[in-house]
Amino acid sequence: MDNQNQYLFNFRGYNFQRSIVSMNIVENMDNQEIRDDDVFIVTYPKSGTVWTQQILSLIYFEGHRNNTENILTAERAPFFEYKHPSVDYAKMPSPRVFCTHLPYYLVPKVFKNKIVKILYIYRNPKDVLTSFFYFSNSVILYEASDSIETFMQAFLDGRGKY
């Protein structure tokens, strides 16, 4: 693990945001329990993850019929690699819906032996860049950019808190 700075850290070639990732899950990815009926939403950030979480929540949890609208999206379809103090993955009823931004080489190897459903959502890179630019300028946690050109160059160079 290469600690680049206080905000991000690099684990096996992938940068994680230190404050939200669960290192226990990431370091022991191959030991995580994966069920045959699990559903994984795999996306690059700002590519439609939340929309897909909402759509699958309506399908799998029957929308408003059983009061799932009162449960946070992050608890209905949590990010697999993130810290969720109020969610115990082992106690979640099947089928479980997870999201992840993990690259292919970091996902649990057991995916190859299970009947896991994987939805890979992608978006035009120009739209991802634009969405990420406005998102990063609205979130205090990220570094604001004065122009989309400056943001794009920092993004492509791997600089900044993105």
Side-chain angles (χ1 to χ4, degrees), residues 7-146:
Y7 179 76
L8 297 175
F9 67 92
N10 188 287
F11 178 76
R12 292 160 104 195
Y14 187 77
N15 289 326
F16 288 95
Q17 186 178 329
R18 186 178 305 279
S19 63
I20 61 174
V21 74
S22 172
M23 279 313 298
N24 182 44
I25 291 174
V26 173
E27 289 176 336
N28 299 299
M29 193 63 69
D30 291 330
N31 299 326
Q32 299 300 319
E33 176 200 17
I34 304 296
R35 302 176 191 162
D36 282 335
D37 60 352
D38 283 346
V39 178
F40 279 81
I41 301 166
V42 181
T43 65
Y44 188 80
K46 307 313 296 168
S47 295
T49 313
V50 174
W51 282 13
T52 309
Q53 284 174 303
Q54 293 296 335
I55 292 167
L56 287 185
S57 291
L58 290 171
I59 294 169
Y60 278 94
F61 306 115
E62 298 183 356
H64 297 282
R65 293 169 74 191
N66 59 7
N67 292 324
T68 55
E69 73 276 8
N70 297 322
I71 302 171
L72 295 173
T73 303
E75 293 176 2
R76 282 184 277 154
F79 273 85
F80 190 68
E81 66 271 21
Y82 290 179
K83 298 174 188 173
H84 293 285
S86 60
V87 179
D88 183 352
Y89 295 166
K91 293 181 182 176
M92 288 174 66
S94 290
R96 301 180 304 179
V97 178
F98 293 105
C99 295
T100 187
H101 292 320
L102 290 173
Y104 176 75
Y105 67 89
L106 286 180
V107 297
K109 303 286 185 267
V110 73
F111 273 26
K112 296 176 183 176
N113 303 329
K114 296 280 184 175
I115 310 170
V116 176
K117 292 176 183 72
I118 299 172
L119 279 81
Y120 180 74
I121 309 299
Y122 63 94
R123 186 177 184 189
N124 183 319
K126 295 174 189 175
D127 294 329
V128 170
L129 178 74
T130 303
S131 179
F132 221 153
F133 170 73
Y134 286 106
F135 178 75
S136 66
N137 282 342
S138 68
V139 177
I140 296 171
L141 192 59
Y142 295 124
E143 292 176 353
S145 294
D146 56 351

